Amino acid sequence: MILGKNLYNKSSKILNLFRVLNLIAPKIWKKSFSRFKTKSNGFTGGAPALTLTESGDLRCTSCMLCQNICPSFCIKIETHEHAEEEAAPLNFDINILKCTFCGLCEDACPVDAIRMEGPMPFAGHSEQNWIWDKEYLSSYAGDLKSKVGEDRPLMP
Amino acid sequence: MFDFQEQEDLDLINNRNFLLRELELEFSDKLTLATNENISIVVSPSNYIDQILKLKNNFGFNFFLNLWISDNIADGENFDLMVQLLNMDTHQRAIITCPVSDLESVPSLSDIYQGAFWCEQESWDMFGVSFDSIPKERILSPEGMDGFSLRKDFEPRPFTLKRSSDYSFSPDPRVPRGEWKKRDVLQLDMFNGEVNGPLKAIMEVYDEVVERGRLEIGFLHRGVEKIFENINLNQIMPHLSRINSNCPTMFQQAWCGGIEKYLDVYIPDRAKALRMVFNELDRIYEHLDTIGRIVDNLGCSPFLKETLVMQESIVAVMKKYSEQNLSSNLICLGGVKSDVPKGWLTECLNLLSFLEKKVFEVTKLISNSTLWMNRLCRFELNSKQAMDWGVSGPNLRASGVNYDMRKVSPHYFYNDIEFEVPLGINGQCYDRYLVRVEEIFQSLSIISQLLDNLPLGDTKTKDSSVLIPRKQDVYSDSNALIQHYRFYDSGVTLPEGEFYNSIESPNGELGFYVHSRGTEYLNRVKLRTPGFYSGQCFTDIVEGGSVEDIPLVINSLNLVVGEIDR
Amino acid sequence: MDEMESNSSIISEVAMTADSESFLNRWNRSILENELWPFPVSFSCCSSEMRRFKGRENSSEYINGLDVAYPPEESDLLIVGGTISQKMAPFIKEVYDRMPEEKWVLAIGACASSGGPYWTHSVVQGLSQIVPVDVYLPGCPPSREMIIQSFEAIRERVTKKVSSLSQTRWSLNV
């Protein structure tokens, strides 16, 4: 459809004067559109956090799926020397300055060990440590319990 | 009873058959693919220019889409030059392939199609293939860089800080010799938010009137195409939302739709309708951004705040659907990631009525008013030039050309929905603004028609080549666990071949060309973004304006630098 | 909150003790605490968050002067948001060199802090490779409430007279 010709006509000067006054005058009958403003912080969670079993150990089994899938390569995992005896990782580091909070690590984990339910990180001074290790990751979001049943065997 | 729709379909089929027959007579053994939508032709470098001239004059391929280089042969010395053209009568896209090497220089296409100028400069920048009469200047990479970054054997050097050299124009042939020295060269750095991203404009000015001008791009070059060649298909989704942050679901739809057509995966109806709703909401968001920037350049900041309030309301409704930033959790391969939450439909319908009232209030005061029309009714873009440059979308429709991909090659349910396509008359800034305002109203009616008749059913496909099993099954069932591991270890592998998929984004035609060799990583991904071609026609438009009008011209074309530089 | 306490405890170790200052220095400090003049530079996705922050009615409570364009010779705070490419880096360095002595730098978003998801050669992996940075703000993109909180962190650094520029000079004995 071709746009109507009436949109291309210039209107008279008196009408323009009224329009400018309408711009400047304060609107007394302004409706409040507060129901559409985003609530504080949008969503409460969003930052990665490690979960614990019922007995308080880490649920993570060092399968490295989250390390492979992260698009910024910000997860670094080191395992124990004898992985058959101790499946939990020796070190689990996340460089939080690189994280884009996309949630792919939560989708990839087969044992529900990492979840995006921690509070979003605040601005910080540059002298502080921006690499979060596994003690901080498992404690800063409260104690998150994983949703998998207790009688599930550990992965080799 | 005479039915126009049926007659149009018969005409289209007849035209296509006629064209395919003529092409088979002309390029008998070089025509490798000829379907209803895509055509592939292989030429040799000696008669490359003649064949393309024949295609333009005799066969009707007069719209320039893209030009790029792909390294199909593994030894790294020989490349394939690919040109893509569009026939606007039969809506078919032709890809012409020509093997080249970096030792000899290739004839240039910029005399036939003007839009090939930046494409050929980028080909030299990324691969090292030189063209006749194209200056060997870096367009996306920093000046003085060693090496060509998209080759497979590229090794990056360490990073140093270096200023680029001063700019100058070559002497203007239209002006007598004595007047060359009277002109000054001005640079305008727009890094601070006047335009949507960092851009630089270089102008030749005489007495405060711009005689010639051009844009400098490359300040946001992130190497997205290089990244796509080195990661899994699972890891690509967050990158797609961040190329143009105003319309993330458009990029996801173009990517996922292409892969699903290639692998022949069936999508349920409810997922199709929901994807269309997200796309139209993004279209409204992007058009509101453009209108807000135009209004801000005219000096009217209360209206800018009203558009920001409208944009925030759209973001609030999308966040209630899924709580991820930049809408990265909405569309996935095989459907939509999660179902509609309770109460979302009424919120969405309330949003539509709110938007309609607000947009009408804001734009009623700008249209028809002498104040704004004196500044906006300038900077005309001719329709023939627009097709040469490769401009598409609302910028093309403002010049009077009736081409909208949702009408001519519709996908999903666009055939069954009633909407109109607004067209401008003159091609000036005022038309580009009016076309976008009218498209907002049309999108609002599309969304309300979709939500009234939302089909029931699943939101994800059941095809096992693409589907990730549910988390509850992964925790308890061993078959689902094996499939989960296989999917996340290497991702979906595409069989050997290539495809091209395109949709209508708010700025023009957005397309993905993908070539894979059957391995885990893709071989070549080329993005056809609309901003790259709209940015070239800046040189034609800006003549005769003043220096203060440059941000207004750029904002009326809606150049988003994330799309241009990738 | 725990985060804020740990933040202030970090810089209290680094801040130097306040010796007797002249009247002019104390006057300058009180002006800087209340009114910093910013120089914002923003690209890509984080620029839409800055734009929405500017458009709010009460944004001038937190920081003044985001609408006005100050030249770098008159500004104190450099705000960078978005991905920094190799072509853009010399401009940021030139702006930083032209600013007067007491200056602070704020990096907004994952791409400005550390390169983000772009691990290619054409993206600078963090603002700290070009200029010394004071406050980082992770997020992709960070929400408006986080941007407000980062200005409070900057103000804390101004009151305690800590800046990365002076620390780098002190460590290099310049």
Side-chain angles (χ1 to χ4, degrees):
Chain A
M1 65 179 225
I2 302 204
L3 294 170
K5 278 272 178 189
N6 57 340
L7 286 168
Y8 289 85
N9 296 335
K10 298 189 185 177
S11 49
S12 67
K13 296 198 177 166
I14 300 176
L15 254 179
N16 280 338
L17 189 65
F18 275 121
R19 281 175 179 167
V20 169
L21 285 178
N22 199 8
L23 263 179
I24 302 175
K27 294 210 183 242
I28 312 168
W29 53 90
K30 205 187 215 178
K31 290 184 211 162
S32 68
F33 297 105
S34 58
R35 59 194 163 141
F36 286 117
K37 279 192 193 149
T38 46
K39 304 210 173 76
S40 70
N41 208 8
F43 46 100
T44 52
L50 289 173
T51 58
L52 307 170
T53 61
E54 297 285 328
S55 49
D57 309 321
L58 278 182
R59 176 59 84 176
C60 175
T61 57
S62 313
C63 66
M64 310 282 200
L65 277 181
C66 57
Q67 182 177 318
N68 288 344
I69 199 124
C70 177
S72 326
F73 303 110
C74 61
I75 303 184
K76 299 249 179 315
I77 301 180
E78 278 180 24
T79 56
H80 283 281
E81 215 177 294
H82 298 286
E84 304 94 44
E85 299 165 15
E86 181 97 30
L90 181 63
N91 286 332
F92 191 107
D93 293 333
I94 293 187
N95 184 357
I96 204 67
L97 282 182
K98 275 201 173 245
C99 180
T100 58
F101 307 96
C102 59
L104 280 178
C105 49
E106 181 186 359
D107 291 337
C109 182
V111 293
D112 192 35
I114 186 167
R115 263 198 264 156
M116 310 289 285
E117 284 180 15
M120 292 289 280
F122 286 99
H125 303 278
S126 54
E127 290 89 1
Q128 78 182 43
N129 189 17
W130 288 104
I131 298 185
W132 291 356
D133 52 359
K134 71 173 178 179
E135 280 87 18
Y136 187 69
L137 280 174
S138 46
S139 62
Y140 85 107
D143 277 327
L144 291 175
K145 300 289 187 205
S146 66
K147 294 181 190 147
V148 182
E150 193 53 25
D151 51 4
R152 200 170 177 295
L154 294 173
M155 298 304 300
Chain B
M1 222 325 277
F2 191 68
D3 194 356
F4 278 110
Q5 183 68 30
E6 269 189 31
Q7 185 65 26
E8 272 179 23
D9 287 340
L10 279 177
D11 278 342
L12 185 66
I13 295 176
N14 285 341
N15 282 345
R16 280 184 180 167
N17 290 338
F18 180 68
L19 181 72
L20 289 177
R21 240 179 296 137
E22 292 287 310
L23 281 175
E24 268 177 42
L25 285 175
E26 182 74 37
F27 312 92
S28 50
D29 52 341
K30 302 188 187 138
L31 189 69
T32 48
L33 173 72
T35 62
N36 270 343
E37 288 174 4
N38 289 320
I39 299 173
S40 292
I41 304 176
V42 179
V43 299
S44 65
S46 51
N47 56 354
Y48 153 70
I49 294 281
D50 298 330
Q51 306 277 42
I52 292 195
L53 262 177
K54 247 188 260 179
L55 278 173
K56 178 175 183 181
N57 296 333
N58 301 346
F59 289 96
F61 286 89
N62 54 358
F63 192 96
F64 177 75
L65 273 181
N66 210 348
L67 186 150
W68 73 93
I69 289 191
S70 162
D71 45 356
N72 280 332
I73 306 179
D75 58 1
E77 274 224 356
N78 285 323
F79 306 103
D80 272 348
L81 176 80
M82 299 185 152
V83 179
Q84 194 172 25
L85 305 170
L86 167 68
N87 188 333
M88 296 178 94
D89 294 325
T90 62
H91 317 303
Q92 284 172 311
R93 286 163 178 78
I95 296 186
I96 296 112
T97 316
C98 168
V100 296
S101 83
D102 58 346
L103 302 168
E104 303 165 347
S105 85
V106 186
S108 155
L109 267 188
S110 49
D111 301 324
I112 312 175
Y113 295 107
Q114 283 177 310
F117 186 63
W118 270 3
C119 295
E120 293 176 339
Q121 271 190 313
E122 187 194 336
S123 304
W124 184 78
D125 191 0
M126 296 284 138
F127 282 97
V129 176
S130 56
F131 293 82
D132 290 339
S133 77
I134 299 284
K136 292 193 185 179
E137 285 173 3
R138 299 273 180 180
I139 185 173
L140 290 179
S141 320
E143 197 178 314
M145 188 177 111
D146 287 328
F148 303 108
S149 51
L150 272 181
R151 291 197 188 192
K152 297 285 193 234
D153 52 356
F154 171 69
E155 283 169 14
R157 305 291 154 80
F159 155 63
T160 54
L161 282 171
K162 221 189 292 180
R163 272 310 292 271
S164 38
S165 51
D166 280 335
Y167 302 94
S168 63
F169 278 87
S170 59
D172 194 352
R174 301 173 294 185
V175 164
R177 209 188 170 98
E179 293 203 13
W180 284 346
K181 283 197 182 164
K182 289 191 196 165
R183 298 188 170 185
D184 302 320
V185 174
L186 267 185
Q187 300 175 28
L188 188 63
D189 289 349
M190 293 178 278
F191 298 149
N192 219 346
E194 297 98 338
V195 192
N196 202 348
L199 271 181
K200 190 173 195 137
I202 306 152
M203 301 156 285
E204 210 180 39
V205 172
Y206 178 58
D207 206 10
E208 288 198 29
V209 171
V210 175
E211 303 285 337
R212 286 188 292 176
R214 66 167 212 255
L215 280 180
E216 169 93 12
I217 61 174
F219 291 101
L220 200 58
H221 177 64
R222 302 182 266 200
V224 159
E225 295 180 358
K226 184 90 184 168
I227 289 181
F228 280 12
E229 294 175 9
N230 288 317
I231 53 178
N232 286 334
L233 280 185
N234 302 325
Q235 296 174 299
I236 286 186
M237 297 300 282
H239 281 282
L240 287 173
S241 340
R242 283 162 174 89
I243 299 178
N244 182 354
S245 55
N246 286 338
C247 50
T249 52
M250 288 284 180
F251 282 77
Q252 292 168 353
Q253 165 64 37
W255 177 260
C256 292
I259 291 192
E260 283 151 8
K261 260 194 236 174
Y262 189 57
L263 293 177
D264 209 8
V265 171
Y266 165 74
I267 308 286
D269 283 344
R270 191 173 168 97
K272 286 184 190 171
L274 283 173
R275 280 183 176 185
M276 285 166 71
V277 167
F278 296 144
N279 282 352
E280 295 300 321
L281 279 174
D282 269 347
R283 192 183 306 268
I284 298 177
Y285 187 94
E286 172 102 50
H287 285 328
L288 281 174
D289 199 47
T290 313
I291 293 173
R293 284 180 194 272
I294 292 179
V295 154
D296 193 23
N297 278 130
L298 295 177
C300 184
S301 60
F303 285 163
L304 172 67
K305 293 194 178 166
E306 305 277 331
T307 50
L308 287 175
V309 164
M310 285 192 269
Q311 283 181 326
E312 275 189 37
S313 61
I314 296 183
V315 167
V317 168
M318 301 269 269
K319 267 203 173 152
K320 285 185 183 158
Y321 193 102
S322 129
E323 290 180 347
Q324 274 286 353
N325 45 3
L326 281 183
S327 313
S328 48
N329 237 0
L330 289 176
I331 296 184
C332 69
L333 261 183
V336 173
K337 204 150 190 181
S338 55
D339 210 346
V340 175
K342 279 194 186 151
W344 190 79
L345 284 178
T346 39
E347 283 246 14
C348 201
L349 292 171
N350 288 342
L351 171 76
L352 297 181
S353 58
F354 164 69
L355 280 179
E356 188 168 355
K357 272 186 251 167
K358 260 281 167 96
V359 172
F360 187 63
E361 251 179 47
V362 168
T363 57
K364 169 178 75 158
L365 290 172
I366 297 186
S367 323
N368 293 95
S369 134
T370 327
L371 264 175
W372 311 135
M373 280 179 74
N374 282 340
R375 286 196 67 186
L376 279 179
C377 280
R378 293 182 290 164
F379 303 116
E380 193 172 307
L381 178 65
N382 202 357
S383 64
K384 186 170 188 318
Q385 281 174 340
M387 297 203 297
D388 249 356
W389 288 115
V391 176
S392 56
N395 298 333
L396 181 67
R397 278 176 245 137
S399 310
V401 179
N402 186 4
Y403 198 80
D404 188 345
M405 281 191 67
R406 299 176 287 170
K407 284 281 195 193
V408 296
S409 29
H411 63 110
Y412 297 172
F413 295 126
Y414 280 112
N415 234 343
D416 306 326
I417 291 185
E418 292 183 12
F419 68 100
E420 291 174 342
V421 171
L423 295 175
I425 301 180
N426 296 329
Q428 298 168 340
C429 285
Y430 188 57
D431 298 83
R432 291 191 274 267
Y433 157 80
L434 276 184
V435 162
R436 288 183 163 100
V437 166
E438 189 55 43
E439 278 197 5
I440 292 182
F441 289 122
Q442 297 296 325
S443 286
L444 288 171
S445 89
I446 291 179
I447 298 178
S448 58
Q449 283 176 57
L450 278 171
L451 289 180
D452 281 340
N453 309 318
L454 200 63
L456 298 171
D458 306 324
T459 49
K460 266 195 199 172
T461 178
K462 290 198 167 31
D463 194 339
S464 64
S465 65
V466 154
L467 182 68
I468 312 171
R470 290 183 324 162
K471 273 297 175 91
Q472 290 97 314
D473 296 336
V474 170
Y475 296 153
S476 52
D477 184 24
S478 60
N479 279 336
L481 185 67
I482 294 174
Q483 205 175 358
H484 178 100
Y485 257 92
R486 204 167 27 152
F487 191 83
Y488 274 109
D489 208 12
S490 61
V492 176
T493 35
L494 299 179
E496 194 168 336
E498 61 189 15
F499 70 88
Y500 176 80
N501 186 38
S502 61
I503 63 168
E504 170 91 15
S505 88
N507 292 334
E509 169 168 343
L510 168 69
F512 278 88
Y513 168 81
V514 173
H515 175 255
S516 98
R517 283 210 207 127
T519 59
E520 186 183 346
Y521 298 142
L522 299 168
N523 183 37
R524 176 80 167 108
V525 176
K526 171 75 181 153
L527 285 90
R528 198 262 176 204
T529 46
F532 194 71
Y533 302 89
S534 305
Q536 288 191 69
C537 71
F538 176 81
T539 49
D540 265 342
I541 302 182
V542 81
E543 293 179 12
S546 75
V547 176
E548 304 156 340
D549 292 329
I550 301 246
L552 178 67
V553 173
I554 296 180
N555 282 329
S556 77
L557 290 169
N558 199 21
L559 298 182
V560 178
V561 183
E563 277 185 351
I564 300 181
D565 291 342
R566 284 160 272 135
Chain C
M1 285 175 260
D2 286 340
E3 290 261 353
M4 296 292 281
E5 286 168 9
S6 63
N7 274 347
S8 44
S9 66
I10 286 175
I11 57 172
S12 56
E13 295 164 15
V14 180
M16 311 209 230
T17 54
D19 296 341
S20 65
E21 266 188 320
S22 67
F23 173 70
L24 278 178
N25 279 343
R26 268 183 281 144
W27 176 266
N28 192 22
R29 180 119 349 246
S30 72
I31 291 181
L32 276 179
E33 273 176 53
N34 294 329
E35 188 154 328
L36 279 172
W37 283 8
F39 190 88
V41 188
S42 61
F43 330 112
S44 72
C45 336
C46 282
S47 67
S48 58
E49 288 293 321
M50 292 286 295
R51 214 168 117 79
R52 279 200 244 154
F53 175 71
K54 266 197 243 181
R56 272 190 130 178
E57 286 115 30
N58 51 355
S59 75
S60 51
E61 287 177 18
Y62 308 108
I63 186 136
N64 258 336
L66 276 177
D67 292 336
V68 187
Y70 297 111
E73 281 87 2
E74 295 177 19
S75 38
D76 306 305
L77 171 66
L78 177 68
I79 308 178
V80 179
T83 323
I84 307 171
S85 76
Q86 276 205 15
K87 211 168 174 181
M88 194 66 212
F91 292 96
I92 299 185
K93 180 89 176 128
E94 185 190 330
V95 165
Y96 185 76
D97 286 339
R98 277 163 66 174
M99 286 164 75
E101 263 292 310
E102 306 225 8
K103 45 197 167 183
W104 288 269
V105 176
L106 166 66
I108 293 185
C111 293
S113 312
S114 69
Y118 301 104
W119 41 266
T120 54
H121 65 284
S122 62
V123 168
V124 176
Q125 302 287 315
L127 195 54
S128 56
Q129 301 208 355
I130 312 176
V131 296
V133 182
D134 285 298
V135 173
Y136 289 108
L137 178 57
C140 192
S143 57
R144 279 198 316 266
E145 282 76 13
M146 299 302 177
I147 297 182
I148 293 172
Q149 190 264 335
S150 71
F151 287 128
E152 291 174 9
I154 287 270
R155 197 167 288 136
E156 211 183 314
R157 273 179 104 90
V158 171
T159 49
K160 302 228 167 118
K161 291 181 289 186
V162 176
S163 90
S164 297
L165 179 64
S166 56
Q167 279 172 42
T168 49
R169 286 219 187 112
W170 192 54
S171 63
L172 294 173
N173 286 333
V174 162

